[in-house]
Amino acid sequence: MTVLDDLVAGATEDFLRREESMPLPVLRDRALATVPARDVVSAWSGPDVAVICEVKRASPSKGRLSRIPDPALLAAEYARGGAAAISVLTEEREFLGSLADLRAVRRSVGVPVLRKDFIVSAYQVWEARACGADLVLLIVAALEDAQLTELYRLTTELGMTALVEVHDEAEAERAAALGAELIGVNARNLKTLEVDRSTFGRIAPLLPESAVKVAESGIRNAQDVAAVAAAGAGAVLVGEAVVTGADAAATVAGLVEAGRRAGGRTR
């Protein structure tokens, strides 16, 4: 089994356990009573590169990154620095996240919030909406075509935006066929955990011009933001660089300024 296979298996076991305590009909009622999701695609279609900052305690590749005793406070610092959205890891086993983190962040910020997890079921999409998420991550490598289509449809029907993540040319083709409006190109191979910073530049030209393209993994500084912007990125997703920095707001502000300077480049 690959690393991705293990993560998906663990996430599946965990959501099935949660479903036992909160049946889907109850979860649906909670989700439908939630404030409507915020639009992101139109907001990120302008010239500036949007910066999505991550609440992430740990990862399979690096282990523990930060304790983050108060995810709401960290998210507020990201927002103060100008983050366009907050990504919250809710995977419990390797990333040490939780849905409680997602709910806390949602209460603390007004910017869009992304549930980042290994989503393979409709139940998890309903969970995301019930917790106030505006976006959910759908990893093409983790889903068969029928699953991907169904989860994308449900996400859209609930008013959320799917960040459809790809890693190679074949996955890019599947995301394009899906009609995804927001496509993430992850430089980290989820089967080996290796990062190849050339991935975005190789894959982005294969994606629809109309889609907002998000560069994921390997974004460390302003120079990295400029590089992916030149290759067509409309947004970047940054994790390690912001959770390990001494001043989260200042780190984010520097990345946001780099995104502004890169504004106007061809996408």
Side-chain angles (χ1 to χ4, degrees):
M1 291 179 69
T2 67
V3 174
L4 178 59
D5 291 333
D6 287 339
L7 289 166
V8 167
T12 300
E13 184 177 321
D14 292 341
F15 94 73
L16 289 172
R17 184 191 69 247
R18 293 192 299 272
E19 190 172 11
E20 290 180 359
S21 60
M22 183 177 292
L24 182 57
V26 177
L27 182 64
R28 281 175 174 162
D29 289 343
R30 293 193 180 188
L32 295 174
T34 304
V35 173
R38 295 153 180 79
D39 175 44
V40 297
V41 173
S42 60
W44 297 351
S45 297
D48 294 350
V49 177
V51 178
I52 308 164
C53 296
E54 204 145 74
V55 175
K56 178 167 71 171
R57 293 187 176 87
S59 73
S61 61
K62 294 291 183 71
R64 174 78 77 163
L65 296 171
S66 177
R67 288 185 58 249
I68 311 182
D70 189 342
L73 180 61
L74 179 60
E77 286 295 289
Y78 289 164
R80 186 165 68 86
I86 312 297
S87 169
V88 183
L89 265 300
T90 59
E91 196 275 341
E92 303 173 18
R93 300 175 182 225
E94 296 290 341
F95 292 89
L96 308 181
S98 69
L99 289 169
D101 288 348
L102 181 62
R103 289 189 291 267
V105 169
R106 172 71 290 158
R107 290 191 297 266
S108 71
V109 298
V111 298
V113 175
L114 162 70
R115 180 189 183 182
K116 194 174 183 190
D117 208 322
F118 299 87
I119 293 178
V120 293
S121 75
Y123 188 88
Q124 293 164 291
V125 176
W126 283 102
E127 278 184 325
R129 186 80 282 269
C131 292
D134 306 288
L135 306 101
V136 295
L137 181 70
L138 298 180
I139 302 173
V140 172
L143 300 164
E144 299 295 335
D145 282 341
Q147 283 179 296
L148 180 61
T149 299
E150 175 60 20
L151 294 175
Y152 185 84
R153 180 193 61 76
L154 177 59
T155 299
T156 302
E157 287 180 356
L158 292 180
M160 294 186 292
T161 301
L163 172 56
V164 179
E165 180 177 290
V166 305
H167 303 82
D168 59 29
E169 290 81 355
E171 292 172 15
E173 184 176 341
R174 292 175 63 196
L178 188 66
E181 296 181 291
L182 187 67
I183 302 176
V185 178
N186 195 341
R188 187 180 300 282
N189 184 322
L190 293 184
K191 295 178 181 178
T192 65
L193 300 183
E194 295 177 355
V195 172
D196 178 357
R197 291 188 172 85
S198 70
T199 301
F200 186 85
R202 187 178 75 252
I203 302 300
L206 306 178
L207 301 174
E209 289 187 13
S210 59
V212 176
K213 304 165 190 69
V214 184
E216 304 176 37
S217 296
I219 307 297
R220 304 157 297 180
N221 51 43
Q223 290 74 25
D224 291 333
V225 173
V228 294
V236 294
L237 193 153
V238 188
E240 184 178 345
V242 290
V243 298
T244 60
D247 185 333
T251 301
V252 174
L255 296 170
V256 170
E257 178 57 29
R260 290 191 182 122
R261 289 198 302 268
R265 299 189 184 197
T266 300
R267 300 220 158 91

